[in-house]
Amino acid sequence: MQTVAAFTDTYLPTVNGVTYTLESWREEWRTRGGRMDVVFPSAPGHDPAAGEYTTRSVGFPFYDGFRMGLPGVPDAVRDADVVHAHTPFALGLSGWYLARRIEAPLVASYHTPTAEYADYLAAGPAAAVVEGAARRYERRYMNAAAAVVVPSEPAGEHLRDIGVHTPVEVVPNGVDTDFFARPDDDTLAEFRAEYDLPDPADGPVVGYTGRHGFEKELTEIPPAVAAADADATLVFGGDGPARDAVERACEEAGVDARFLGFLPREELPALYAGLDAFLFPSPVETQGLVALEANACGTPVVGVNAGALADTVVDGETGHHYPRGDTAAFADAIDRTLAERASLSDACLDRREETSVEHAVDRLAEVYDAVTE
């Protein structure tokens, strides 16, 4: 097994899809006898463990809670066989430098459509300038790698569309299916009682958990729930800069909405399994890991037919799609999913193995083998 140096701009104590994926891959890689070190920005609240190395960092003024790592390459990772950059920026540049310095192959992961976040940095015409610059830089970085890893085929198509000619390999992020599984009925009842959520006999519960970012278009959810025939309770887990806007949208739509904030990780399976449908309107996902986590807990997903969710959600099997921006169609997809909840749930559970971390790391190992031959 190769020794891998992974560079990322986001890691613990921040909990998001990139952090979760990197942690899961590292653990599975170590289980197989390999070594995967990680280099990330220092942040209060997390003391590096073995194989974790920090660089100095500064606060990022445009996004609360995010810290930007300053370039740096710890001596401990200079013996890597493969350098794997999980970002093209900041510490991604450190990874690029290390790969060239030790003549190791650079593998680049594409987790986030960088240009979609231009509105955090600029508004109006300036956002288009930032978006264009981000795409050009993204293309240049990816074309410097020996291979690019994407979590879904739509993400790969996007990179090819913007001019990336480096080989693009689909490696799903993977779900810890030992952890994300349907809890027993007593655990679900305790979770509902703790957060004052309705009993299943009192009507359906639908919702979302994850980062509340403007680009995820979460304000589309309340009017769709209000327009659906089902009288559903709406639940939001997580938090982020768009939360106030989502709360206002719930008030305007007149829906019964509960905001739980960030939950302890050990409670996430109960949240997923306690939902009759997971609602996911985000058009910017490169895979939509939370959708797969919900599926692994037996919960179908109502997802926008855009971005990676067009691929991640299997229409009529693990949930239903709707066209972006169509509130009536979103509401109809919610009703269809609730009506077919039992059969969709069974289909979700049948697909657990193919979405597992073990399957993902099998593919990752093939990519590392190919670039080190």
Side-chain angles (χ1 to χ4, degrees):
M1 303 291 290
Q2 295 91 347
T3 294
V4 181
F7 287 76
T8 177
D9 282 338
T10 178
Y11 196 63
L12 298 172
T14 300
V15 178
N16 56 28
V18 177
T19 301
Y20 169 74
T21 297
L22 189 45
E23 274 197 293
S24 300
W25 286 2
R26 289 187 71 222
E27 182 176 349
E28 180 63 21
W29 197 250
R30 290 197 300 266
T31 298
R32 300 182 184 203
R35 180 180 133 209
M36 185 180 289
D37 296 333
V38 58
V39 182
F40 59 100
S42 61
H46 179 66
D47 294 324
E52 295 180 345
Y53 303 96
T54 62
T55 68
R56 291 182 301 158
S57 67
V58 295
F60 190 64
F62 304 104
Y63 197 105
D64 187 40
F66 180 81
R67 295 193 66 81
M68 186 167 62
L70 301 179
V73 178
D75 291 339
V77 302
R78 292 177 182 269
D79 61 344
D81 301 310
V82 177
V83 177
H84 193 150
H86 290 262
T87 171
F89 299 103
L91 289 184
L93 289 172
S94 295
W96 188 359
Y97 165 81
L98 175 62
R100 295 180 63 182
R101 183 66 180 267
I102 65 175
E103 297 183 349
L106 174 67
V107 174
S109 268
Y110 179 66
H111 289 286
T112 304
T114 309
E116 297 291 348
Y117 295 89
D119 287 341
Y120 283 103
L121 303 176
V129 175
V130 172
E131 180 177 339
R135 281 213 170 98
R136 288 191 296 273
Y137 176 79
E138 202 167 52
R139 178 173 61 243
R140 182 184 177 202
Y141 189 93
M142 299 297 172
N143 280 334
V148 176
V149 166
V150 295
S152 65
E153 184 53 39
E157 290 173 1
H158 165 75
L159 291 181
R160 287 186 282 269
D161 286 345
I162 66 171
V164 173
H165 53 69
T166 295
V168 176
E169 304 289 345
V170 176
V171 179
N173 292 330
V175 174
D176 182 352
T177 51
D178 291 332
F179 177 78
F180 287 104
R182 182 178 174 81
D184 59 47
D185 290 343
D186 288 344
T187 301
L188 287 174
E190 290 171 4
F191 179 82
R192 292 190 188 101
E194 180 180 357
Y195 291 99
D196 193 27
L197 299 179
D199 186 271
D202 296 330
V205 178
V206 299
Y208 165 87
T209 189
R211 193 172 61 82
H212 293 21
F214 290 102
E215 72 284 349
K216 293 183 181 291
E217 301 186 0
L218 301 180
T219 53
E220 299 289 315
I221 293 176
V225 172
D229 291 334
D231 184 15
T233 299
L234 177 57
V235 175
F236 285 96
D239 210 333
R243 176 167 170 169
D244 288 347
V246 176
E247 290 184 352
R248 287 195 299 272
C250 289
E251 292 174 3
E252 292 169 3
V255 297
D256 178 10
R258 319 285 177 86
F259 287 81
L260 310 186
F262 282 116
L263 299 174
R265 185 172 184 270
E266 59 269 20
E267 293 185 343
L268 289 177
L271 173 61
Y272 285 128
L275 299 176
D276 293 290
F278 186 86
L279 310 184
F280 208 1
S282 173
V284 300
E285 303 303 309
T286 54
Q287 182 176 37
L289 187 59
V290 290
L292 295 178
E293 292 172 353
N295 286 167
C297 295
T299 301
V301 175
V302 180
V304 66
N305 194 20
L309 293 182
D311 198 40
T312 299
V313 178
V314 182
D315 211 37
E317 186 172 337
T318 64
H320 284 289
H321 287 117
Y322 69 92
R324 181 182 182 186
D326 190 332
T327 300
F330 194 173
D332 180 63
I334 292 171
D335 285 327
R336 281 185 290 138
T337 299
L338 294 176
E340 302 167 18
R341 210 290 187 187
S343 61
L344 292 173
S345 179
D346 289 342
C348 289
L349 296 176
D350 287 342
R351 292 172 59 88
R352 283 167 50 83
E353 183 177 349
E354 65 186 84
T355 61
S356 68
V357 171
E358 291 81 4
H359 176 71
V361 174
D362 285 344
R363 284 286 300 119
L364 184 66
E366 291 173 1
V367 173
Y368 289 165
D369 287 343
V371 297
T372 56
E373 285 180 349

